[in-house]
Amino acid sequence: MTMPVLDPDLLKAFVAVADNRSFTRAAALLNRTQSAVSMQIKRLEERLETDLFHRSTTHVDLTAAGERLLGYARRILVLGEEAVGRLREHRIEGRVRIGVMDDYGTHILPSLLARFLGLYPRIEVEMETGLTAGMPARLGEAFDLVVAMHPAGNGGGTLLRREQAVWAAGAAHATEDLDPLPVALYPQGCLFRKWAMEALDAAGRPWRLAFVSHSLAAVEAVAAQGLAVTVVKAGTFPASLRALSEREGMPALPAADIRLHRAPELSRAAALLADHLVAGIARDEETDVPPRRSLPARRE
């Protein structure tokens, strides 16, 4: 037997009457005549072969069948609106400029951007990676969005994730035993550079700055070869390195906040990407971002 088709227009009339408990008020809401709404409800009841309302001269109440249908009707209408909205947004065009830390630009954002551009293929995304300390000040001029690192509890914007700073060394090297301790860091302005120097000085640990580079890959490669220790984020900890802690004589480091900053005026394309990043990074959705990496076991 052929199943009846649930016409969205009929369902919309049904929901309007159910919500208002009145054919007159539903007709005014839908900008139709009362007789037209009554005819739509009659057609829906005929298709379903059941009464949906108890009618009297003073009241309109749902039948048991009407109560069961109401939830389904709302879901069908919402899904229809969502589908139309997505298809229309699919045609949105624009260019979005985003600034982000090097490791997030390498490990976190690519999968997020792949999914986003699959939904909105006409949007162009330009990404600049590097030190983010000065990027929020360039919002509007150079960037529409900035994903930046700040001390925990500071920085404004939207909190995406809290990251623990971690000392790291080459997996096959006991670099942490050298005296003075060689350290590979990033240029001035990097929060991890500041924290590393302050922590070592506070602990009274002799150290020397062995390597400085804007390149995250270069710093990690130097550390992996046993030439220096460095500082990385727990959430993007490289597989080539080994985590160090106070057990290896390394001082504790603070946590950092990863925050999203928006330009004062955003295009529709930029606003969509901002929402996508918040959903993907803040909630760590498996469909959008890779799983957060667990730290490798420390060397005994």
Side-chain angles (χ1 to χ4, degrees):
M1 185 177 72
T2 304
M3 297 291 289
V5 176
L6 294 177
D7 187 329
D9 285 337
L10 302 185
L11 293 178
K12 189 177 294 185
F14 165 71
V15 171
V17 175
D19 285 346
N20 291 276
R21 291 298 195 270
S22 166
F23 281 82
T24 302
R25 289 193 292 271
L29 180 67
L30 298 171
N31 198 27
R32 295 187 177 183
T33 64
Q34 181 177 336
S35 60
V37 173
S38 296
M39 184 60 65
Q40 286 182 304
I41 298 302
K42 181 179 179 181
R43 287 169 57 195
L44 183 59
E45 290 177 326
E46 289 174 348
R47 290 189 184 184
L48 296 174
E49 298 180 351
T50 187
D51 291 333
L52 300 174
F53 293 102
H54 295 300
R55 303 169 177 82
S56 71
T57 56
T58 57
H59 291 91
V60 176
D61 293 316
L62 286 165
T63 64
E67 291 177 346
R68 289 194 297 269
L69 177 63
L70 185 57
Y72 289 108
R74 293 192 197 279
R75 286 159 57 189
I76 291 170
L77 293 174
V78 167
L79 285 172
E81 292 175 357
E82 182 179 325
V84 172
R86 280 300 181 92
L87 289 172
R88 287 177 176 172
E89 287 187 341
H90 193 74
R91 299 194 299 268
I92 290 177
E93 299 180 356
R95 179 170 63 103
V96 185
R97 304 161 301 168
I98 182 169
V100 64
M101 302 89 66
D102 202 1
D103 53 354
Y104 268 51
T106 301
H107 300 299
I108 303 297
L109 259 64
S111 59
L112 284 165
L113 292 177
R115 180 169 173 78
F116 178 78
L117 295 175
L119 294 171
Y120 309 105
R122 298 188 182 185
I123 294 178
E124 298 179 6
V125 177
E126 296 179 359
M127 183 170 68
E128 179 179 322
T129 62
L131 296 179
T132 57
M135 287 185 179
R138 300 166 60 199
L139 282 165
E141 174 192 351
F143 302 111
D144 301 299
L145 305 172
V146 170
V147 177
M149 182 171 68
H150 303 274
N154 295 291
T158 302
L159 177 64
L160 299 178
R161 176 183 293 173
R162 182 154 290 178
E163 288 277 11
Q164 179 60 49
V166 182
W167 291 103
H173 304 278
T175 316
E176 68 274 16
D177 294 336
L178 298 178
D179 188 16
L181 180 73
V183 182
L185 295 172
Y186 315 98
Q188 289 187 3
C190 174
L191 193 58
F192 280 3
R193 174 188 172 114
K194 177 176 180 291
W195 286 351
M197 292 179 171
E198 290 177 348
L200 291 170
D201 288 341
R205 177 75 187 269
W207 62 277
R208 65 183 180 87
L209 192 57
F211 187 83
V212 177
S213 176
H214 283 277
S215 169
L216 174 69
V219 170
E220 291 179 356
V222 165
Q225 292 299 316
L227 303 178
V229 300
T230 189
V231 179
V232 298
K233 299 181 183 70
T236 56
F237 199 95
S240 60
L241 300 182
R242 171 175 51 89
L244 304 175
S245 71
E246 293 174 86
R247 290 169 53 188
E248 290 81 23
M250 303 303 298
L253 294 170
D257 282 349
I258 309 302
R259 294 180 173 271
L260 175 67
H261 302 269
R262 300 170 171 87
E265 296 182 5
L266 286 184
S267 65
R268 178 59 176 157
L272 285 169
L273 180 55
D275 291 343
H276 186 76
L277 294 178
V278 170
I281 298 177
R283 292 200 295 266
D284 252 356
E285 294 178 346
E286 293 181 0
T287 55
D288 284 334
V289 295
R292 290 170 67 81
R293 303 179 181 187
S294 58
L295 297 183
R298 297 185 178 95
R299 184 178 59 85
E300 297 297 337

